Amino acid sequence: MVSNSSLIFAKAPTEFPQPGQHLKKETKEFDLDQSLPEGSVLAKTVVLSLDPYLRGRMRDGGESYVPAFDKGKPIQNFGVSKIVKSANSAFKEGAHIYGTQDFSEYIVLSGDQLKGYKVLENKENLPWSYYVGVAGMPGQTAVYGLKQIAKLKKGETIFVSGASGAVGQLVIALAHSVGAKVIASAGSEDKVDYLKNELKVEVAFNYKTESTEKVLKANPFNAYWDNVGGETLETVLNTISEYGRIVACGAIADYNTPNPYGIKNSFQVVAKSLLMQGFIVLKTDIGDFYDVIPPKIASGEINPPKEHIVKGIDQGEAFLDLLKGANFGKAVVSLE
Ligand SMILES: NC(=O)c1ccc[n+]([C@@H]2O[C@H](COP(=O)([O-])OP(=O)(O)OC[C@H]3O[C@@H](n4cnc5c(N)ncnc54)[C@H](OP(=O)(O)O)[C@@H]3O)[C@@H](O)[C@H]2O)c1
């Protein structure tokens, strides 16, 4: 027997989730010698991803693009785990696997659950944490939105909000790789320094201390990568160039309030002939992502991502940090 800690969904919040109240840590005994049903595996979690969309799953049922979490059960998200014991010939002992799993130290995955899983070959020998960030779902998000919606050309400029995070970092790298310029916003001086000095962003600013409107009026831009929604989106609609493209990726400014910001100028989409398109990366075809992105990271063509790694299962503190911007880089829970 070993002890197995999990992060449990206890109660739906109306605003920011409070550690120990809406999310709780629970520790139970776990039998490493249990007999496994045919087709299943027993695995030890290596890393788990913390992503803003999890906040939307902390609700009392109802329709959405992802199901609500079950109360009293572990929350679930993308993770990399190492197989300890296998009753499935396609998933061998010792292999690292990627997919959606319980937020627990040890897991048993049925044959059905494994259908959504990928065995990570990791020929490039990247840190496993990259597979829940730049080489995982957030990376797939950046690649899809830029290629299919922003369609940036050399010489154009894109404004990226939430720019220092998991998705933003790769959006910036890919925009630069096609010869586009980047305006980027983030919520602290450290993050702005990183955007300027490490990611070589042409214009970076702290949206908490500088006027977004002033910066955008002074720096014409053709495309907007929207990670935040709300007032920033309203300002963008007023300042983006004619025929601009808006990639509606997320709206974190509205995730923790029962009163989302009411955009008042949506007619600018018509007046400026804008294209605005949203997408859910889980419903897209990721194509050759795994053949392209990990080698580019290994070769240095894409900078190593900045990560915010937290050790061990907590009571939801690290998730609250992510929602409040206290993370600096891709938020990952490491159980190594
Ligand atoms: N459409 C899809 O399929 C898809 C897939 C993945 C992610 N997303 C979305 O993409 C966005 C970025 O995700 P991520 O994983 O890269 O997260 P992240 O940027 O690593 O972390 C979230 C960041 O949001 C910023 N933030 C929090 N509250 C804010 C507010 N009121 N206004 C402006 N910024 C705020 C904080 O940074 P600051 O310090 O800069 O405020 C925080 O660090 C999220 O909206 C997420 O839901 C969408």
Side-chain angles (χ1 to χ4, degrees), residues 265-300:
N265 58 348
S266 59
F267 185 70
Q268 293 287 20
V269 176
V270 181
K272 293 184 173 181
S273 305
L274 304 177
L275 173 93
M276 180 170 176
Q277 189 180 325
F279 67 107
I280 297 297
V281 72
L282 301 179
K283 297 183 179 175
T284 65
D285 177 0
I286 62 162
D288 57 2
F289 178 85
Y290 286 105
D291 296 328
V292 174
I293 296 298
K296 282 192 180 183
I297 302 166
S299 72

PDB file of all heavy atoms in Angstrom, residues 265-300:
ATOM      1  N   ASN A 265     -19.080  47.710 -28.031  1.00  0.00           N
ATOM      2  CA  ASN A 265     -18.764  48.226 -29.372  1.00  0.00           C
ATOM      3  C   ASN A 265     -18.608  47.111 -30.413  1.00  0.00           C
ATOM      4  O   ASN A 265     -17.760  47.204 -31.295  1.00  0.00           O
ATOM      5  CB  ASN A 265     -17.477  49.064 -29.309  1.00  0.00           C
ATOM      6  CG  ASN A 265     -16.305  48.262 -28.776  1.00  0.00           C
ATOM      7  OD1 ASN A 265     -16.502  47.167 -28.250  1.00  0.00           O
ATOM      8  ND2 ASN A 265     -15.103  48.776 -28.919  1.00  0.00           N
ATOM      9  N   SER A 266     -19.408  46.065 -30.300  1.00  0.00           N
ATOM     10  CA  SER A 266     -19.242  44.942 -31.233  1.00  0.00           C
ATOM     11  C   SER A 266     -19.504  45.364 -32.691  1.00  0.00           C
ATOM     12  O   SER A 266     -19.100  44.673 -33.626  1.00  0.00           O
ATOM     13  CB  SER A 266     -20.135  43.762 -30.845  1.00  0.00           C
ATOM     14  OG  SER A 266     -21.466  44.162 -30.838  1.00  0.00           O
ATOM     15  N   PHE A 267     -20.153  46.530 -32.896  1.00  0.00           N
ATOM     16  CA  PHE A 267     -20.383  46.973 -34.279  1.00  0.00           C
ATOM     17  C   PHE A 267     -19.075  47.264 -35.020  1.00  0.00           C
ATOM     18  O   PHE A 267     -19.032  47.268 -36.252  1.00  0.00           O
ATOM     19  CB  PHE A 267     -21.292  48.214 -34.317  1.00  0.00           C
ATOM     20  CG  PHE A 267     -21.629  48.614 -35.731  1.00  0.00           C
ATOM     21  CD1 PHE A 267     -22.475  47.819 -36.502  1.00  0.00           C
ATOM     22  CD2 PHE A 267     -21.069  49.745 -36.317  1.00  0.00           C
ATOM     23  CE1 PHE A 267     -22.764  48.157 -37.825  1.00  0.00           C
ATOM     24  CE2 PHE A 267     -21.345  50.082 -37.639  1.00  0.00           C
ATOM     25  CZ  PHE A 267     -22.203  49.283 -38.393  1.00  0.00           C
ATOM     26  N   GLN A 268     -17.986  47.439 -34.270  1.00  0.00           N
ATOM     27  CA  GLN A 268     -16.680  47.663 -34.921  1.00  0.00           C
ATOM     28  C   GLN A 268     -16.291  46.471 -35.804  1.00  0.00           C
ATOM     29  O   GLN A 268     -15.533  46.627 -36.760  1.00  0.00           O
ATOM     30  CB  GLN A 268     -15.575  47.896 -33.873  1.00  0.00           C
ATOM     31  CG  GLN A 268     -15.712  49.173 -33.092  1.00  0.00           C
ATOM     32  CD  GLN A 268     -15.365  50.409 -33.926  1.00  0.00           C
ATOM     33  OE1 GLN A 268     -15.371  50.389 -35.155  1.00  0.00           O
ATOM     34  NE2 GLN A 268     -15.092  51.501 -33.242  1.00  0.00           N
ATOM     35  N   VAL A 269     -16.806  45.285 -35.469  1.00  0.00           N
ATOM     36  CA  VAL A 269     -16.519  44.102 -36.303  1.00  0.00           C
ATOM     37  C   VAL A 269     -17.046  44.363 -37.717  1.00  0.00           C
ATOM     38  O   VAL A 269     -16.378  44.047 -38.713  1.00  0.00           O
ATOM     39  CB  VAL A 269     -17.159  42.820 -35.705  1.00  0.00           C
ATOM     40  CG1 VAL A 269     -16.953  41.617 -36.615  1.00  0.00           C
ATOM     41  CG2 VAL A 269     -16.600  42.543 -34.309  1.00  0.00           C
ATOM     42  N   VAL A 270     -18.203  44.971 -37.794  1.00  0.00           N
ATOM     43  CA  VAL A 270     -18.794  45.303 -39.100  1.00  0.00           C
ATOM     44  C   VAL A 270     -18.059  46.503 -39.715  1.00  0.00           C
ATOM     45  O   VAL A 270     -17.572  46.442 -40.844  1.00  0.00           O
ATOM     46  CB  VAL A 270     -20.294  45.663 -38.932  1.00  0.00           C
ATOM     47  CG1 VAL A 270     -20.918  45.995 -40.288  1.00  0.00           C
ATOM     48  CG2 VAL A 270     -21.040  44.545 -38.229  1.00  0.00           C
ATOM     49  N   ALA A 271     -17.939  47.561 -38.924  1.00  0.00           N
ATOM     50  CA  ALA A 271     -17.404  48.823 -39.448  1.00  0.00           C
ATOM     51  C   ALA A 271     -15.986  48.666 -39.989  1.00  0.00           C
ATOM     52  O   ALA A 271     -15.618  49.305 -40.970  1.00  0.00           O
ATOM     53  CB  ALA A 271     -17.440  49.879 -38.346  1.00  0.00           C
ATOM     54  N   LYS A 272     -15.194  47.793 -39.334  1.00  0.00           N
ATOM     55  CA  LYS A 272     -13.800  47.629 -39.762  1.00  0.00           C
ATOM     56  C   LYS A 272     -13.573  46.363 -40.575  1.00  0.00           C
ATOM     57  O   LYS A 272     -12.435  45.976 -40.819  1.00  0.00           O
ATOM     58  CB  LYS A 272     -12.893  47.588 -38.528  1.00  0.00           C
ATOM     59  CG  LYS A 272     -12.833  48.883 -37.762  1.00  0.00           C
ATOM     60  CD  LYS A 272     -11.836  48.753 -36.635  1.00  0.00           C
ATOM     61  CE  LYS A 272     -11.618  50.076 -35.948  1.00  0.00           C
ATOM     62  NZ  LYS A 272     -10.645  49.994 -34.874  1.00  0.00           N
ATOM     63  N   SER A 273     -14.641  45.690 -40.950  1.00  0.00           N
ATOM     64  CA  SER A 273     -14.536  44.430 -41.726  1.00  0.00           C
ATOM     65  C   SER A 273     -13.588  43.448 -41.022  1.00  0.00           C
ATOM     66  O   SER A 273     -12.658  42.911 -41.629  1.00  0.00           O
ATOM     67  CB  SER A 273     -14.022  44.684 -43.151  1.00  0.00           C
ATOM     68  OG  SER A 273     -14.824  45.624 -43.796  1.00  0.00           O
ATOM     69  N   LEU A 274     -13.822  43.237 -39.727  1.00  0.00           N
ATOM     70  CA  LEU A 274     -12.940  42.354 -38.951  1.00  0.00           C
ATOM     71  C   LEU A 274     -13.384  40.906 -39.076  1.00  0.00           C
ATOM     72  O   LEU A 274     -14.559  40.619 -39.306  1.00  0.00           O
ATOM     73  CB  LEU A 274     -12.970  42.755 -37.473  1.00  0.00           C
ATOM     74  CG  LEU A 274     -12.625  44.200 -37.127  1.00  0.00           C
ATOM     75  CD1 LEU A 274     -12.777  44.441 -35.623  1.00  0.00           C
ATOM     76  CD2 LEU A 274     -11.201  44.540 -37.580  1.00  0.00           C
ATOM     77  N   LEU A 275     -12.416  40.018 -38.859  1.00  0.00           N
ATOM     78  CA  LEU A 275     -12.745  38.598 -38.717  1.00  0.00           C
ATOM     79  C   LEU A 275     -12.476  38.240 -37.260  1.00  0.00           C
ATOM     80  O   LEU A 275     -11.383  38.504 -36.758  1.00  0.00           O
ATOM     81  CB  LEU A 275     -11.857  37.743 -39.613  1.00  0.00           C
ATOM     82  CG  LEU A 275     -12.044  36.249 -39.365  1.00  0.00           C
ATOM     83  CD1 LEU A 275     -13.085  35.678 -40.320  1.00  0.00           C
ATOM     84  CD2 LEU A 275     -10.746  35.484 -39.502  1.00  0.00           C
ATOM     85  N   MET A 276     -13.475  37.676 -36.588  1.00  0.00           N
ATOM     86  CA  MET A 276     -13.276  37.262 -35.197  1.00  0.00           C
ATOM     87  C   MET A 276     -13.748  35.823 -35.085  1.00  0.00           C
ATOM     88  O   MET A 276     -14.902  35.525 -35.386  1.00  0.00           O
ATOM     89  CB  MET A 276     -14.081  38.163 -34.271  1.00  0.00           C
ATOM     90  CG  MET A 276     -13.923  37.793 -32.822  1.00  0.00           C
ATOM     91  SD  MET A 276     -14.654  39.051 -31.769  1.00  0.00           S
ATOM     92  CE  MET A 276     -14.432  38.285 -30.182  1.00  0.00           C
ATOM     93  N   GLN A 277     -12.834  34.949 -34.689  1.00  0.00           N
ATOM     94  CA  GLN A 277     -13.220  33.529 -34.627  1.00  0.00           C
ATOM     95  C   GLN A 277     -12.676  32.878 -33.363  1.00  0.00           C
ATOM     96  O   GLN A 277     -11.515  33.039 -33.012  1.00  0.00           O
ATOM     97  CB  GLN A 277     -12.684  32.783 -35.855  1.00  0.00           C
ATOM     98  CG  GLN A 277     -13.236  31.367 -35.940  1.00  0.00           C
ATOM     99  CD  GLN A 277     -12.706  30.612 -37.147  1.00  0.00           C
ATOM    100  OE1 GLN A 277     -12.485  31.192 -38.204  1.00  0.00           O
ATOM    101  NE2 GLN A 277     -12.499  29.322 -36.979  1.00  0.00           N
ATOM    102  N   GLY A 278     -13.539  32.119 -32.711  1.00  0.00           N
ATOM    103  CA  GLY A 278     -13.128  31.344 -31.550  1.00  0.00           C
ATOM    104  C   GLY A 278     -12.868  29.905 -31.946  1.00  0.00           C
ATOM    105  O   GLY A 278     -13.134  29.501 -33.086  1.00  0.00           O
ATOM    106  N   PHE A 279     -12.365  29.125 -31.029  1.00  0.00           N
ATOM    107  CA  PHE A 279     -12.138  27.698 -31.278  1.00  0.00           C
ATOM    108  C   PHE A 279     -11.871  27.003 -29.945  1.00  0.00           C
ATOM    109  O   PHE A 279     -11.471  27.633 -28.974  1.00  0.00           O
ATOM    110  CB  PHE A 279     -10.938  27.474 -32.215  1.00  0.00           C
ATOM    111  CG  PHE A 279      -9.612  27.862 -31.602  1.00  0.00           C
ATOM    112  CD1 PHE A 279      -8.703  26.890 -31.208  1.00  0.00           C
ATOM    113  CD2 PHE A 279      -9.276  29.186 -31.396  1.00  0.00           C
ATOM    114  CE1 PHE A 279      -7.490  27.232 -30.626  1.00  0.00           C
ATOM    115  CE2 PHE A 279      -8.073  29.542 -30.809  1.00  0.00           C
ATOM    116  CZ  PHE A 279      -7.179  28.571 -30.427  1.00  0.00           C
ATOM    117  N   ILE A 280     -12.127  25.715 -29.928  1.00  0.00           N
ATOM    118  CA  ILE A 280     -11.799  24.862 -28.784  1.00  0.00           C
ATOM    119  C   ILE A 280     -10.774  23.868 -29.299  1.00  0.00           C
ATOM    120  O   ILE A 280     -11.090  23.034 -30.159  1.00  0.00           O
ATOM    121  CB  ILE A 280     -13.064  24.133 -28.255  1.00  0.00           C
ATOM    122  CG1 ILE A 280     -14.105  25.145 -27.746  1.00  0.00           C
ATOM    123  CG2 ILE A 280     -12.702  23.130 -27.165  1.00  0.00           C
ATOM    124  CD1 ILE A 280     -13.674  25.992 -26.559  1.00  0.00           C
ATOM    125  N   VAL A 281      -9.559  23.971 -28.789  1.00  0.00           N
ATOM    126  CA  VAL A 281      -8.467  23.180 -29.370  1.00  0.00           C
ATOM    127  C   VAL A 281      -8.753  21.683 -29.317  1.00  0.00           C
ATOM    128  O   VAL A 281      -8.364  20.940 -30.228  1.00  0.00           O
ATOM    129  CB  VAL A 281      -7.113  23.533 -28.703  1.00  0.00           C
ATOM    130  CG1 VAL A 281      -7.025  23.001 -27.287  1.00  0.00           C
ATOM    131  CG2 VAL A 281      -5.945  23.027 -29.550  1.00  0.00           C
ATOM    132  N   LEU A 282      -9.482  21.251 -28.293  1.00  0.00           N
ATOM    133  CA  LEU A 282      -9.757  19.810 -28.158  1.00  0.00           C
ATOM    134  C   LEU A 282     -10.640  19.290 -29.289  1.00  0.00           C
ATOM    135  O   LEU A 282     -10.734  18.091 -29.502  1.00  0.00           O
ATOM    136  CB  LEU A 282     -10.439  19.524 -26.817  1.00  0.00           C
ATOM    137  CG  LEU A 282      -9.635  19.947 -25.599  1.00  0.00           C
ATOM    138  CD1 LEU A 282     -10.382  19.647 -24.314  1.00  0.00           C
ATOM    139  CD2 LEU A 282      -8.285  19.245 -25.596  1.00  0.00           C
ATOM    140  N   LYS A 283     -11.295  20.209 -29.985  1.00  0.00           N
ATOM    141  CA  LYS A 283     -12.170  19.787 -31.092  1.00  0.00           C
ATOM    142  C   LYS A 283     -11.504  19.996 -32.445  1.00  0.00           C
ATOM    143  O   LYS A 283     -12.148  19.901 -33.481  1.00  0.00           O
ATOM    144  CB  LYS A 283     -13.482  20.570 -31.034  1.00  0.00           C
ATOM    145  CG  LYS A 283     -14.260  20.297 -29.766  1.00  0.00           C
ATOM    146  CD  LYS A 283     -15.581  21.029 -29.750  1.00  0.00           C
ATOM    147  CE  LYS A 283     -16.325  20.687 -28.457  1.00  0.00           C
ATOM    148  NZ  LYS A 283     -17.547  21.451 -28.321  1.00  0.00           N
ATOM    149  N   THR A 284     -10.221  20.345 -32.441  1.00  0.00           N
ATOM    150  CA  THR A 284      -9.535  20.591 -33.710  1.00  0.00           C
ATOM    151  C   THR A 284      -8.623  19.407 -34.052  1.00  0.00           C
ATOM    152  O   THR A 284      -8.320  18.579 -33.198  1.00  0.00           O
ATOM    153  CB  THR A 284      -8.654  21.862 -33.645  1.00  0.00           C
ATOM    154  OG1 THR A 284      -7.608  21.635 -32.691  1.00  0.00           O
ATOM    155  CG2 THR A 284      -9.453  23.080 -33.231  1.00  0.00           C
ATOM    156  N   ASP A 285      -8.185  19.405 -35.293  1.00  0.00           N
ATOM    157  CA  ASP A 285      -7.234  18.387 -35.739  1.00  0.00           C
ATOM    158  C   ASP A 285      -5.831  18.951 -35.515  1.00  0.00           C
ATOM    159  O   ASP A 285      -5.485  19.980 -36.093  1.00  0.00           O
ATOM    160  CB  ASP A 285      -7.486  18.121 -37.234  1.00  0.00           C
ATOM    161  CG  ASP A 285      -6.501  17.120 -37.811  1.00  0.00           C
ATOM    162  OD1 ASP A 285      -5.631  16.638 -37.055  1.00  0.00           O
ATOM    163  OD2 ASP A 285      -6.603  16.848 -39.019  1.00  0.00           O
ATOM    164  N   ILE A 286      -5.034  18.291 -34.680  1.00  0.00           N
ATOM    165  CA  ILE A 286      -3.702  18.852 -34.370  1.00  0.00           C
ATOM    166  C   ILE A 286      -2.653  18.476 -35.416  1.00  0.00           C
ATOM    167  O   ILE A 286      -1.500  18.900 -35.327  1.00  0.00           O
ATOM    168  CB  ILE A 286      -3.215  18.471 -32.952  1.00  0.00           C
ATOM    169  CG1 ILE A 286      -3.061  16.950 -32.823  1.00  0.00           C
ATOM    170  CG2 ILE A 286      -4.126  19.041 -31.892  1.00  0.00           C
ATOM    171  CD1 ILE A 286      -2.207  16.538 -31.643  1.00  0.00           C
ATOM    172  N   GLY A 287      -3.061  17.703 -36.406  1.00  0.00           N
ATOM    173  CA  GLY A 287      -2.184  17.397 -37.545  1.00  0.00           C
ATOM    174  C   GLY A 287      -0.847  16.814 -37.114  1.00  0.00           C
ATOM    175  O   GLY A 287      -0.789  15.906 -36.289  1.00  0.00           O
ATOM    176  N   ASP A 288       0.249  17.393 -37.650  1.00  0.00           N
ATOM    177  CA  ASP A 288       1.583  16.840 -37.391  1.00  0.00           C
ATOM    178  C   ASP A 288       2.287  17.518 -36.212  1.00  0.00           C
ATOM    179  O   ASP A 288       3.511  17.571 -36.155  1.00  0.00           O
ATOM    180  CB  ASP A 288       2.446  16.945 -38.657  1.00  0.00           C
ATOM    181  CG  ASP A 288       2.554  18.392 -39.143  1.00  0.00           C
ATOM    182  OD1 ASP A 288       2.001  19.295 -38.474  1.00  0.00           O
ATOM    183  OD2 ASP A 288       3.192  18.621 -40.181  1.00  0.00           O
ATOM    184  N   PHE A 289       1.501  18.040 -35.282  1.00  0.00           N
ATOM    185  CA  PHE A 289       2.053  18.798 -34.144  1.00  0.00           C
ATOM    186  C   PHE A 289       3.233  18.085 -33.484  1.00  0.00           C
ATOM    187  O   PHE A 289       4.286  18.694 -33.257  1.00  0.00           O
ATOM    188  CB  PHE A 289       0.931  19.025 -33.115  1.00  0.00           C
ATOM    189  CG  PHE A 289       1.372  19.753 -31.875  1.00  0.00           C
ATOM    190  CD1 PHE A 289       1.419  21.142 -31.844  1.00  0.00           C
ATOM    191  CD2 PHE A 289       1.763  19.057 -30.733  1.00  0.00           C
ATOM    192  CE1 PHE A 289       1.841  21.822 -30.701  1.00  0.00           C
ATOM    193  CE2 PHE A 289       2.180  19.729 -29.589  1.00  0.00           C
ATOM    194  CZ  PHE A 289       2.212  21.107 -29.573  1.00  0.00           C
ATOM    195  N   TYR A 290       3.093  16.793 -33.175  1.00  0.00           N
ATOM    196  CA  TYR A 290       4.147  16.084 -32.427  1.00  0.00           C
ATOM    197  C   TYR A 290       5.396  15.826 -33.282  1.00  0.00           C
ATOM    198  O   TYR A 290       6.473  15.591 -32.742  1.00  0.00           O
ATOM    199  CB  TYR A 290       3.614  14.767 -31.837  1.00  0.00           C
ATOM    200  CG  TYR A 290       2.726  15.020 -30.648  1.00  0.00           C
ATOM    201  CD1 TYR A 290       1.340  14.902 -30.759  1.00  0.00           C
ATOM    202  CD2 TYR A 290       3.253  15.409 -29.415  1.00  0.00           C
ATOM    203  CE1 TYR A 290       0.514  15.157 -29.674  1.00  0.00           C
ATOM    204  CE2 TYR A 290       2.436  15.672 -28.325  1.00  0.00           C
ATOM    205  CZ  TYR A 290       1.070  15.542 -28.456  1.00  0.00           C
ATOM    206  OH  TYR A 290       0.258  15.806 -27.386  1.00  0.00           O
ATOM    207  N   ASP A 291       5.246  15.872 -34.601  1.00  0.00           N
ATOM    208  CA  ASP A 291       6.432  15.709 -35.457  1.00  0.00           C
ATOM    209  C   ASP A 291       7.176  17.031 -35.624  1.00  0.00           C
ATOM    210  O   ASP A 291       8.340  17.042 -36.006  1.00  0.00           O
ATOM    211  CB  ASP A 291       6.028  15.203 -36.856  1.00  0.00           C
ATOM    212  CG  ASP A 291       5.420  13.816 -36.769  1.00  0.00           C
ATOM    213  OD1 ASP A 291       5.838  13.063 -35.866  1.00  0.00           O
ATOM    214  OD2 ASP A 291       4.503  13.517 -37.558  1.00  0.00           O
ATOM    215  N   VAL A 292       6.457  18.137 -35.391  1.00  0.00           N
ATOM    216  CA  VAL A 292       7.043  19.450 -35.689  1.00  0.00           C
ATOM    217  C   VAL A 292       7.534  20.178 -34.438  1.00  0.00           C
ATOM    218  O   VAL A 292       8.682  20.633 -34.389  1.00  0.00           O
ATOM    219  CB  VAL A 292       6.000  20.328 -36.449  1.00  0.00           C
ATOM    220  CG1 VAL A 292       6.516  21.742 -36.646  1.00  0.00           C
ATOM    221  CG2 VAL A 292       5.631  19.687 -37.778  1.00  0.00           C
ATOM    222  N   ILE A 293       6.684  20.292 -33.434  1.00  0.00           N
ATOM    223  CA  ILE A 293       7.014  21.178 -32.301  1.00  0.00           C
ATOM    224  C   ILE A 293       8.124  20.617 -31.398  1.00  0.00           C
ATOM    225  O   ILE A 293       9.108  21.333 -31.137  1.00  0.00           O
ATOM    226  CB  ILE A 293       5.730  21.568 -31.520  1.00  0.00           C
ATOM    227  CG1 ILE A 293       4.798  22.406 -32.427  1.00  0.00           C
ATOM    228  CG2 ILE A 293       6.064  22.327 -30.231  1.00  0.00           C
ATOM    229  CD1 ILE A 293       5.356  23.743 -32.910  1.00  0.00           C
ATOM    230  N   PRO A 294       8.067  19.357 -30.927  1.00  0.00           N
ATOM    231  CA  PRO A 294       9.178  18.903 -30.062  1.00  0.00           C
ATOM    232  C   PRO A 294      10.558  19.030 -30.725  1.00  0.00           C
ATOM    233  O   PRO A 294      11.494  19.537 -30.077  1.00  0.00           O
ATOM    234  CB  PRO A 294       8.804  17.445 -29.730  1.00  0.00           C
ATOM    235  CG  PRO A 294       7.305  17.438 -29.833  1.00  0.00           C
ATOM    236  CD  PRO A 294       6.987  18.357 -30.975  1.00  0.00           C
ATOM    237  N   PRO A 295      10.737  18.670 -32.011  1.00  0.00           N
ATOM    238  CA  PRO A 295      12.059  18.882 -32.624  1.00  0.00           C
ATOM    239  C   PRO A 295      12.480  20.353 -32.662  1.00  0.00           C
ATOM    240  O   PRO A 295      13.658  20.676 -32.492  1.00  0.00           O
ATOM    241  CB  PRO A 295      11.899  18.328 -34.049  1.00  0.00           C
ATOM    242  CG  PRO A 295      10.767  17.366 -33.962  1.00  0.00           C
ATOM    243  CD  PRO A 295       9.844  17.915 -32.932  1.00  0.00           C
ATOM    244  N   LYS A 296      11.499  21.253 -32.874  1.00  0.00           N
ATOM    245  CA  LYS A 296      11.851  22.685 -32.912  1.00  0.00           C
ATOM    246  C   LYS A 296      12.296  23.174 -31.536  1.00  0.00           C
ATOM    247  O   LYS A 296      13.126  24.069 -31.432  1.00  0.00           O
ATOM    248  CB  LYS A 296      10.646  23.526 -33.380  1.00  0.00           C
ATOM    249  CG  LYS A 296      10.446  23.468 -34.879  1.00  0.00           C
ATOM    250  CD  LYS A 296       9.451  24.512 -35.339  1.00  0.00           C
ATOM    251  CE  LYS A 296       9.290  24.425 -36.848  1.00  0.00           C
ATOM    252  NZ  LYS A 296       8.419  25.432 -37.394  1.00  0.00           N
ATOM    253  N   ILE A 297      11.735  22.586 -30.482  1.00  0.00           N
ATOM    254  CA  ILE A 297      12.159  22.981 -29.122  1.00  0.00           C
ATOM    255  C   ILE A 297      13.567  22.419 -28.889  1.00  0.00           C
ATOM    256  O   ILE A 297      14.457  23.116 -28.392  1.00  0.00           O
ATOM    257  CB  ILE A 297      11.195  22.439 -28.048  1.00  0.00           C
ATOM    258  CG1 ILE A 297       9.764  22.934 -28.296  1.00  0.00           C
ATOM    259  CG2 ILE A 297      11.654  22.860 -26.642  1.00  0.00           C
ATOM    260  CD1 ILE A 297       8.707  22.186 -27.509  1.00  0.00           C
ATOM    261  N   ALA A 298      13.759  21.160 -29.294  1.00  0.00           N
ATOM    262  CA  ALA A 298      15.059  20.513 -29.062  1.00  0.00           C
ATOM    263  C   ALA A 298      16.183  21.228 -29.813  1.00  0.00           C
ATOM    264  O   ALA A 298      17.297  21.353 -29.305  1.00  0.00           O
ATOM    265  CB  ALA A 298      14.987  19.048 -29.488  1.00  0.00           C
ATOM    266  N   SER A 299      15.867  21.722 -31.018  1.00  0.00           N
ATOM    267  CA  SER A 299      16.910  22.372 -31.829  1.00  0.00           C
ATOM    268  C   SER A 299      17.167  23.818 -31.399  1.00  0.00           C
ATOM    269  O   SER A 299      18.110  24.443 -31.871  1.00  0.00           O
ATOM    270  CB  SER A 299      16.508  22.364 -33.310  1.00  0.00           C
ATOM    271  OG  SER A 299      15.446  23.288 -33.496  1.00  0.00           O
ATOM    272  N   GLY A 300      16.289  24.348 -30.550  1.00  0.00           N
ATOM    273  CA  GLY A 300      16.457  25.732 -30.096  1.00  0.00           C
ATOM    274  C   GLY A 300      15.729  26.723 -30.989  1.00  0.00           C
ATOM    275  O   GLY A 300      15.748  27.925 -30.733  1.00  0.00           O
TER     276      GLY A 300
END
